Amino acid sequence: MPASIDDLVVRVADICEYKWDMVRNRPLAYLLTGFAGGAMVVFGATLALSVSAGVGDIAPGLSNLLMGLVFMFSLVIIMVSGMTLVTADMYIGIVGIFHRRIGWGWFLWGVVLGYIGNFLGSMFFMWLISLSGPYNLAPWLLKSHAIGVAKLGQTATQTFVMGIVCTWMLQTAAILYVKANEDISKIAMAAYGPMAFVAGMTEHCIANIGFLALPLFQQDTWLALATQTGIDAPILLHWGFGQYGWAHNQLYTVLGNLVGGILFVGLVFQLVSNPKRVAEIYKSKTNFMLKI
Amino acid sequence: MAGEYSAFHPLIWGLFGGFVVLVVAVERLFRAKHPDYPGAPEKREDRVNP
C-alpha cells in the first residue's frame, strides 16, 4: 500500500532535510549530483533521437510514443542513484518550507545550484554526442534540426504553457515515487513522468538545454547537407533570444517549469495533507532525514 | 501578439510575478492559521538564509 498523503508530506520534508543538508554543507557534491542528473536526462534525449529519426515523417504520433518509451527510464536512474534533477525536486523544497526545514533563501540557492549542475551535465553530454559519427548522418542530423526548428520556433506563450504542463506531469510522478513503497511501483511511477512529458510534446528546461544545443553544435554539418540536398530557404538556429533562439526557449521553459511543479504539485499536496495528522506523525518521529 | 519573441513578454512576466506572490502569500497564511505546525527539531538561523 502506498503511504497516506500525510505520511507523504513528512517523507518529502525529510528528503528536503537530506538534500539541503548537502546544499549547505557540501555544495560541490550537490553540484556534482546535478551534473550527473543533467547528463542522465539527456541519455534519454539521445535515445529518443536515435529511435525516432525518420519515423515522424510516416507517423508523428508513433514517433512521440517511441521517444517517450526510451526516455522514460531517465527519471528512474536519477531517483535510484540519488542524483539531482532540479525540475523534479522543486516540490521537495516547497514542502520543506512549509515544514520549516529550509527558508526561501536556501530554497532559491538550492534551485540555482541544481540548475547550474544540470546545465553543465546536459550541455557537456550533448556536446560529446555532437562529435560522434552516427548522429552526424542524414536521418539523425535532419531529425535533430527538425526538433530544434519545432521547439525554438514556438512563441513565448506556447513555450511557457508547455513548460507548466511538463513539470506538472513530471513532479506528479516524482512525488508518487516517494509515496510508493515497493520497488516495482516506485519504478513505474518514476517512468511515467518522462514518458508523459516527452510523448506529450512538452518543454523541459534541462532536457532542452542539451537537446536544443545539439542542432546548434551540428549546424555547419547540417547546412552542408541542406546545400547538397537542395533545401530551399534553410532555417538557421541561434543561441540568443528571438525566434529560433536557444535562450528564448530556455527562459520561458524555466518560468513554466517553476510554475508547474511548485503551484500544481508541491503546493497542492501540502495543502491537501491534514495538519493535525501530520502533527501526530511528528510526535513519534526520531529521524528527520531521508535519502530519496 | 507583439513581444512573443521578446525576452520581456509582459503577460508571462506578469503571470510569473503573480505566481510568486501567490505562493509566498499561501505559505504566510498557512503559518498564521497553523502556528503550531510541526517542523525541524531545532530552529537554526542558517535554515532561513544562506
Side-chain angles (χ1 to χ4, degrees):
Chain A
M1 283 290 289
S4 72
I5 202 158
D6 310 310
D7 281 317
L8 171 64
V9 291
V10 178
R11 280 185 193 179
V12 172
D14 290 348
I15 293 167
C16 175
E17 189 83 33
Y18 179 87
K19 282 202 168 264
W20 263 265
D21 181 69
M22 193 185 281
V23 172
R24 285 186 190 102
N25 301 314
R26 302 171 63 220
L28 284 177
Y30 189 76
L31 194 69
L32 271 179
T33 66
F35 179 84
M40 286 173 184
V41 165
V42 286
F43 292 177
T46 305
L47 296 175
L49 177 61
S50 168
V51 300
S52 65
V55 180
D57 303 335
I58 307 158
L62 184 61
S63 173
N64 288 339
L65 176 64
L66 286 175
M67 291 173 85
L69 285 174
V70 293
F71 209 122
M72 71 181 188
F73 281 101
S74 282
L75 189 62
V76 177
I77 61 174
I78 289 169
M79 300 293 239
V80 170
S81 62
M83 296 302 153
T84 295
L85 177 61
V86 69
T87 46
D89 286 355
M90 291 165 187
Y91 77 91
I92 296 173
I94 284 299
V95 171
I97 288 171
F98 276 82
H99 290 240
R100 296 188 176 88
R101 306 301 183 93
I102 55 171
W104 286 104
W106 278 114
F107 172 70
L108 281 177
W109 177 231
V111 169
V112 169
L113 202 60
Y115 179 84
I116 293 169
N118 285 166
F119 177 95
L120 295 173
S122 178
M123 195 63 99
F124 178 71
F125 186 84
M126 289 315 256
W127 174 72
L128 286 181
I129 291 295
S130 75
L131 302 177
S132 71
Y135 291 97
N136 279 297
L137 296 177
W140 294 276
L141 198 58
L142 293 172
K143 176 70 178 179
S144 168
H145 187 81
I147 290 171
V149 169
K151 283 185 171 285
L152 298 180
Q154 292 183 101
T155 64
T157 306
Q158 290 167 340
T159 307
F160 180 67
V161 295
M162 288 314 256
I164 293 174
V165 171
C166 174
T167 42
W168 194 345
M169 288 172 161
L170 179 63
Q171 291 189 39
T172 297
I175 201 168
L176 293 181
Y177 174 95
V178 177
K179 197 172 192 287
N181 283 325
E182 292 81 25
D183 285 351
I184 193 73
S185 50
K186 280 182 176 287
I187 290 169
M189 290 300 108
Y192 171 74
M195 193 188 78
F197 90 67
V198 173
M201 297 186 287
T202 68
E203 300 296 320
H204 181 263
C205 62
I206 307 303
N208 282 4
I209 286 169
F211 211 17
L212 301 183
L214 182 64
L216 281 155
F217 290 140
Q218 296 175 316
Q219 191 144 260
D220 288 345
T221 316
W222 177 82
L223 206 52
L225 181 72
T227 310
Q228 279 174 13
T229 51
I231 294 176
D232 293 329
I235 295 171
L236 291 181
L237 311 175
H238 60 92
W239 289 102
F241 290 97
Q243 195 174 19
Y244 304 118
W246 179 95
H248 168 80
N249 175 278
Q250 190 59 203
L251 172 67
Y252 291 108
T253 302
V254 167
L255 295 182
N257 284 174
L258 282 165
V259 175
I262 291 171
L263 191 60
F264 295 115
V265 182
L267 213 55
V268 167
F269 277 79
Q270 175 60 40
L271 295 179
V272 169
S273 68
N274 185 322
K276 286 180 184 166
R277 291 196 198 118
V278 170
E280 285 301 313
I281 294 167
Y282 265 89
K283 280 181 187 168
S284 58
K285 271 179 77 64
T286 54
N287 183 11
F288 291 85
M289 204 180 270
L290 178 66
K291 187 180 184 306
I292 201 163
Chain B
M1 181 183 167
E4 278 293 352
Y5 292 103
S6 159
F8 303 101
H9 190 289
L11 176 63
I12 292 175
W13 279 107
L15 285 172
F16 188 75
F19 150 76
V20 172
V21 170
L22 176 69
V23 173
V24 173
V26 168
E27 191 254 345
R28 294 281 185 264
L29 284 171
F30 186 88
R31 287 245 183 281
K33 193 176 176 192
H34 305 286
D36 298 325
Y37 195 74
E42 55 190 57
K43 285 186 179 173
R44 300 196 319 245
E45 179 56 28
D46 70 355
R47 286 180 185 280
V48 181
N49 293 306

